[in-house]
């Protein structure tokens, strides 16, 4: 399996910046691995940091827009039937719907940093017909630090880029806690802004 991943990553790298964008768009290989390998390619001088950052943000955003449109056009029944082909299970959809209903559109930013929910959250956004420009804005805002973080880790690890998940573990809990805190703050601000009925 590792050899298959390496072959795919090599193929993507040969495409240059487009390869990073395609890798994040399809996400057959997790984005953190694609970006970690991208960081290693930066070390080797095959690509530049800013180009890799731009490609990662564009690819990751397009991936989420595709899920948004699937949710918007196909709805929940379509996703329950075909979601497995997108690596999204029924309980992922249920959890993301719960989060979206509880925290509102602001959760789109915070959930991007949390496994399981980070992709599935785009689905209820599409089903609820959330404003497309707002959805895109929140997604880009989250993709920038996500891409920078894993490219940086890939650069630091160099030829040991394949250990990116292990290297990211110490940062995992603080990132998740920060994401949850931001979602909660957004929810509270939105709640207190709502006019109170007499």
């Amino acid at each position: 399996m590792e050899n298959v991943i390496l072959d795919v990553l090599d193929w993507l790298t040969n495409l240059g910046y487009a390869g990073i964008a395609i890798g994040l768009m399809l996400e057959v290989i997790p984005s953190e691995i694609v970006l970690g390998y991208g960081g290693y390619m930066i070390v080797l001088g095959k690509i530049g940091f800013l180009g890799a950052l731009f490609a990662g943000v564009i690819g990751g955003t397009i991936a989420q827009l595709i899920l948004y449109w699937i949710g918007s056009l196909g709805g929940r029944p379509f996703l329950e039937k075909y979601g497995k082909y997108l690596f999204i299970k029924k309980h992922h959809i249920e959890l993301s719907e719960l989060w979206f209903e509880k925290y509102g559109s602001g959760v789109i930013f915070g959930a991007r940093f949390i496994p399981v929910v980070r992709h599935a959250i785009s689905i209820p956004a599409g089903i609820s017909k959330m404003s497309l420009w707002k959805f895109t804005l929140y997604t880009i805002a989250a993709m920038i630090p996500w891409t920078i973080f894993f490219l940086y880790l890939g650069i630091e690890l160099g030829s040991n880029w394949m250990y990116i998940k292990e290297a990211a573990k110490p940062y995992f809990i603080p990132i998740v806690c920060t994401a949850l805190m931001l979602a909660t703050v957004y929810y509270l601000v939105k709640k207190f802004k709502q006019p109170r009925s007499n």
Side-chain angles (χ1 to χ4, degrees):
M1 185 64 181
E2 188 175 320
N3 289 333
V4 173
I5 292 174
L6 286 171
D7 288 342
V8 172
L9 288 172
D10 280 335
W11 176 73
L12 290 172
T13 304
N14 289 332
L15 297 175
Y17 300 114
I20 292 178
I22 291 169
L24 267 72
M25 246 177 356
L26 301 178
E27 194 128 359
V28 177
I29 300 171
S31 62
E32 55 268 34
I33 294 176
V34 174
L35 293 170
Y37 191 70
Y40 177 48
M41 292 298 101
I42 292 170
V43 172
L44 295 179
K46 293 189 176 183
I47 56 176
F49 183 85
L50 287 178
L53 170 60
F54 184 76
V57 172
I58 292 296
T61 301
I62 290 173
Q64 299 311 314
L65 283 169
I66 290 169
L67 291 174
Y68 172 92
W69 284 320
I70 289 173
S72 178
L73 299 173
R76 203 177 197 278
F78 177 88
L79 287 155
E80 286 181 355
K81 188 173 182 180
Y82 299 106
K84 59 185 177 183
Y85 300 110
L86 301 168
F87 308 104
I88 295 173
K89 298 177 181 177
K90 185 178 178 180
H91 70 273
H92 295 164
I93 299 171
E94 290 171 350
L95 181 60
S96 62
E97 281 181 333
L98 180 66
W99 278 45
F100 193 82
E101 288 171 12
K102 184 174 182 180
Y103 296 108
S105 58
V107 77
I108 295 298
F109 176 84
R112 294 286 178 229
F113 305 96
I114 301 172
V116 179
V117 183
R118 69 183 227 89
H119 293 301
I121 197 67
S122 300
I123 295 165
I127 292 172
S128 69
K129 310 293 184 184
M130 175 185 172
S131 165
L132 182 59
W133 75 264
K134 189 182 285 188
F135 173 85
T136 306
L137 182 65
Y138 288 160
T139 301
I140 290 172
M143 281 306 303
I144 291 171
W146 178 269
T147 305
I148 290 173
F149 176 67
F150 283 105
L151 284 175
Y152 173 76
L153 275 186
I155 291 168
E156 289 294 302
L157 290 169
S159 60
N160 294 314
W161 64 270
M162 68 284 297
Y163 299 112
I164 190 124
K165 286 193 173 183
E166 289 82 352
K169 275 183 182 177
Y171 304 96
F172 176 73
I173 293 177
I175 287 172
V176 171
C177 289
T178 302
L180 289 171
M181 184 181 69
L182 288 170
T184 304
V185 168
Y186 177 88
Y187 167 74
L188 291 173
V189 169
K190 187 178 177 183
K191 185 178 180 181
F192 284 114
K193 274 188 174 181
Q194 290 176 345
R196 296 183 181 181
S197 57
N198 294 325

